[in-house]
Amino acid sequence: MNRLFGRGKPKEPPPNLTDCISNVDSRGESIEKKISKLDAELKKYREQMKKMRDGPSKNMVKQKALRVLKQKKTYESQLDNLRTQSFNMEQANFTTQMLKDTKTTVDAMKTGVKEMKKEYKKVNLDEIEDLQDQMEDMMEQANEIQDVMGRSYGMPDVDEDELEAELEALGDEMFMDEDEGYLDEAVGAPSVPSDSIRDGGKPNEEGVLVDEFGLPKIPQSS
């Protein structure tokens, strides 16, 4: 059959945006090189025109410069179109890739939900509640054991009223001790010389009587 009808041509893959963008950018780079050559040529013609006098020769160089300038404008217009095409294809390629990533994310989320449902079936909520109740009961039993172990044995029975009376008596004794301490401090304080009190002065660190301004006190004549 293949000999009679021949084989069909293999189906070519669909166009790829990435390859198209690469081709357009390559064409743009080629046009940029041509524009650079035209700029160099225009520069040469301008330098020649500056050195030439008005006349047929200068007009001829001017015409060449105008022709080169028209070519440059044409290439610049083509370059702008190629850049616009490349930008549009890049945007389309970005959007397509974003949609693919979104689909991948959604598929992963679906798989995750299925796994969660599968694992959730293995969990028995009633069993967990029973475990919690058992733990609570064990904690209460442990507290009861601690209370029992903390009991006191062999302690004498003492009347509560007697304990309160003894506590009040201890308080009175403590206050009395504090009052006597104040008296002891007063007794132990240094005495002030009677002469200084009578004369209205007081001794300084060196034992010299001084007045209220800190000046030596002049003794009064008898």
Side-chain angles (χ1 to χ4, degrees):
M1 295 293 294
N2 291 332
R3 293 178 180 178
L4 294 175
F5 300 100
R7 294 183 178 180
K9 294 182 179 180
K11 188 177 181 180
E12 296 182 357
N16 188 353
L17 278 176
T18 303
D19 295 338
C20 292
I21 293 171
S22 178
N23 293 333
V24 171
D25 290 341
S26 178
R27 290 169 57 190
E29 292 175 358
S30 176
I31 291 176
E32 286 178 351
K33 292 179 180 179
K34 292 180 180 180
I35 291 174
S36 298
K37 291 181 179 180
L38 293 177
D39 285 334
E41 192 173 352
L42 280 174
K43 183 179 179 181
K44 182 183 67 174
Y45 289 147
R46 284 197 300 267
E47 293 295 332
Q48 291 179 359
M49 291 172 62
K50 288 179 181 180
K51 298 176 182 179
M52 296 176 66
R53 296 179 179 179
D54 294 337
S57 299
K58 186 175 181 179
N59 290 334
M60 184 177 62
V61 175
K62 183 178 180 180
Q63 292 299 322
K64 291 181 180 180
L66 291 174
R67 176 176 53 80
V68 172
L69 184 59
K70 289 180 181 180
Q71 292 179 0
K72 179 185 174 183
K73 293 294 183 182
T74 301
Y75 284 136
E76 288 177 347
S77 177
Q78 294 177 0
L79 182 60
D80 290 338
N81 291 333
L82 290 175
R83 287 175 176 174
T84 303
Q85 293 178 17
S86 177
F87 176 78
N88 292 334
M89 286 188 293
E90 286 178 354
Q91 293 298 312
N93 191 23
F94 174 79
T95 304
T96 302
Q97 188 61 42
M98 184 178 64
L99 292 175
K100 290 181 179 180
D101 294 340
T102 302
K103 183 178 182 303
T104 302
T105 303
V106 172
D107 293 339
M109 292 174 65
K110 289 180 179 179
T111 303
V113 171
K114 290 180 180 179
E115 292 294 330
M116 289 175 63
K117 290 180 179 179
K118 182 179 178 181
E119 296 298 328
Y120 185 77
K121 292 179 180 179
K122 300 178 182 179
V123 178
N124 189 341
L125 185 59
D126 295 334
E127 183 179 354
I128 295 175
E129 291 180 351
D130 292 339
L131 288 174
Q132 291 290 336
D133 294 338
Q134 293 177 14
M135 290 180 64
E136 185 177 0
D137 294 339
M138 293 181 66
M139 292 298 295
E140 292 180 356
Q141 293 177 7
N143 292 332
E144 293 177 357
I145 292 173
Q146 293 296 325
D147 293 339
V148 172
M149 296 298 294
R151 292 178 183 176
S152 299
Y153 301 96
M155 295 293 292
D157 295 333
V158 182
D159 189 3
E160 295 291 336
D161 296 334
E162 293 180 0
L163 289 176
E164 291 181 1
E166 185 176 353
L167 180 61
E168 292 179 0
L170 288 174
D172 294 337
E173 291 179 0
M174 293 174 63
F175 288 129
M176 289 177 64
D177 293 339
E178 292 178 358
D179 294 339
E180 292 177 356
Y182 292 138
L183 294 174
D184 295 338
E185 291 178 1
V187 172
S191 60
V192 179
S194 59
D195 294 338
S196 65
I197 297 174
R198 184 175 60 252
D199 297 338
K202 58 181 180 179
N204 57 10
E205 295 179 354
E206 298 178 356
V208 180
L209 292 175
V210 295
D211 57 11
E212 64 272 15
F213 300 102
L215 300 175
K217 185 72 174 179
I218 300 174
Q220 298 179 359
S221 59
S222 56

